[in-house]
Amino acid sequence: MLDVCLLGTGGTMPLPGRWLTSLVLRCNGRSLLIDAGEGTQIAARAAGWSFKNLDTICLTHLHADHTAGLPGLLLTMGNMERTEPVTLVGPRGTARLLEAVKVIAPELAFPVWPIELAEGEEQTIPLGDWELTAFPVRHTVPCLGYRVEVPRRGKFDPQRALAAGIPKPLWKRLQQGECVDGYTPDQVLGPPRPGIRMVYATDTRPVKPLYRAARGADLLICEGMYGEQDKLSKAKETCHMTFREAARIARESGAKELWLTHFSPSLSRPEDFLGEAAAVFPGAKLGVPGRTVTLRFPE
């Protein structure tokens, strides 16, 4: 299963009750953070989440409303006596950003390993229990969306194990994906079963890579900078989206659920415009700080 918590939903600047963009995911006790806008630590504490087991931080792009919370977050993790490394994934310039962070956080007790992803192509990074795929989106600077998938192995077949003469004490390890004493998991497992897919994209226009990434997603968390449809020209000018555009992506990609996020400071009451999205994708939800869901494997 995959736990998902939307920490911040604001774009550009924080507002009372609306922290800047951030999302945290948890699988098998390990955590991954996407974006670290100002107020991320406060939002996490309010939602009851800890960064103690945070392994990976992903940045969609390097604008301040997605990165300004990073120095304080790393310092807090250091104060928790962390020694394990953290991987920092992002677009071109991420390593330079990390060097700037070290100016005010120079003595971290753990290493931070930056991974800069190439522009204009989809790239997958295996992260143990989950797969992280970055895909290009269109903003005013290099920007990425992220798809996080939790794969699911095939069902264990005891009859195949018996037919292959595999000793029973080895079954559990093979079932868990290990190769043991010359035996391999494919000897006892059926074909892979459907896993879990979550997609996150902010600061973009509707683009083909986003439609592809969101295909069949269990949850699409997508930017809706503007609720008002008369702001469409503004959205195009600034490389953002309206509620209706985000809802169209969810509908046409076959996503099961949509959360809108990354609201403009001018959008003081997003709930007044939820109908704009619901008219296109019924059941669309507004992101609110602390909104949480546990995504489970289909039966």
Side-chain angles (χ1 to χ4, degrees):
M1 63 185 185
L2 180 67
D3 296 318
V4 182
C5 182
L6 188 59
L7 298 177
T9 62
T12 309
M13 59 181 286
L15 297 174
R18 186 191 296 175
W19 300 109
L20 288 176
T21 308
S22 189
L23 176 79
V24 64
L25 309 171
R26 183 171 56 206
C27 179
N28 291 335
R30 310 308 300 177
S31 298
L32 178 150
L33 182 72
I34 304 180
D35 282 337
E38 185 179 347
T40 292
Q41 292 188 77
I42 302 171
R45 183 172 289 253
W49 283 61
S50 168
F51 292 126
K52 183 177 178 61
N53 295 322
L54 179 62
D55 303 302
T56 306
I57 301 172
C58 302
L59 303 176
T60 56
H61 62 299
L62 304 186
H63 279 162
D65 56 338
H66 296 253
T67 61
L70 189 59
L73 172 60
L74 293 176
L75 284 169
T76 296
M77 292 170 67
N79 290 336
M80 297 167 67
E81 301 182 352
R82 182 189 183 95
T83 57
E84 301 92 344
V86 171
T87 301
L88 180 65
V89 180
R92 176 172 46 84
T94 296
R96 204 176 93 181
L97 170 68
L98 179 59
E99 290 306 307
V101 167
K102 289 179 179 178
V103 172
I104 59 173
E107 297 181 358
L108 291 176
F110 57 91
V112 181
W113 296 336
I115 297 177
E116 292 192 355
L117 301 178
E119 294 180 42
E121 59 186 72
E122 185 176 290
Q123 296 154 90
T124 297
I125 305 167
L127 294 173
D129 292 316
W130 40 27
E131 283 187 354
L132 173 70
T133 300
F135 55 92
V137 296
R138 179 153 58 91
H139 193 42
T140 55
V141 296
C143 191
L144 302 166
Y146 289 101
R147 182 176 70 233
V148 176
E149 295 180 276
V150 183
R152 192 181 189 191
R153 299 185 187 93
K155 191 173 182 179
F156 177 72
D157 187 340
Q159 297 305 316
R160 290 178 61 190
L162 289 170
I166 300 174
K168 286 188 177 181
L170 304 183
W171 287 11
K172 184 176 181 180
R173 293 173 65 185
L174 290 166
Q175 188 176 0
Q176 293 173 341
E178 292 185 50
C179 295
V180 188
D181 294 349
Y183 299 109
T184 58
D186 60 275
Q187 292 179 272
V188 299
L189 299 180
R193 290 172 288 178
I196 298 168
R197 174 177 292 188
M198 191 285 312
V199 176
Y200 181 86
T202 70
D203 296 75
T204 182
R205 294 292 301 147
V207 289
K208 289 181 179 179
L210 174 51
Y211 277 90
R212 286 196 298 269
R215 191 172 299 139
D218 296 284
L219 174 62
L220 170 61
I221 301 177
C222 190
E223 99 135 41
M225 189 76 168
Y226 303 108
E228 315 93 314
Q229 195 58 19
D230 61 10
K231 291 283 184 72
L232 179 58
S233 60
K234 179 71 171 177
K236 291 179 178 179
E237 176 188 339
T238 57
C239 288
H240 286 291
M241 283 196 286
T242 66
F243 281 17
R244 276 184 176 267
E245 288 179 307
R248 193 172 300 120
I249 292 170
R251 184 187 67 192
E252 295 182 10
S253 65
K256 297 180 179 67
E257 190 169 353
L258 169 66
W259 293 0
L260 296 163
T261 190
H262 199 260
F263 306 128
S264 166
S266 67
L267 192 60
S268 59
R269 290 181 52 83
E271 60 271 21
D272 290 348
F273 300 94
L274 182 58
E276 294 282 346
V280 178
F281 186 82
K285 298 177 181 177
L286 292 175
V288 295
R291 181 180 286 281
T292 303
V293 69
T294 297
L295 301 176
R296 303 182 185 278
F297 290 124
E299 294 299 328

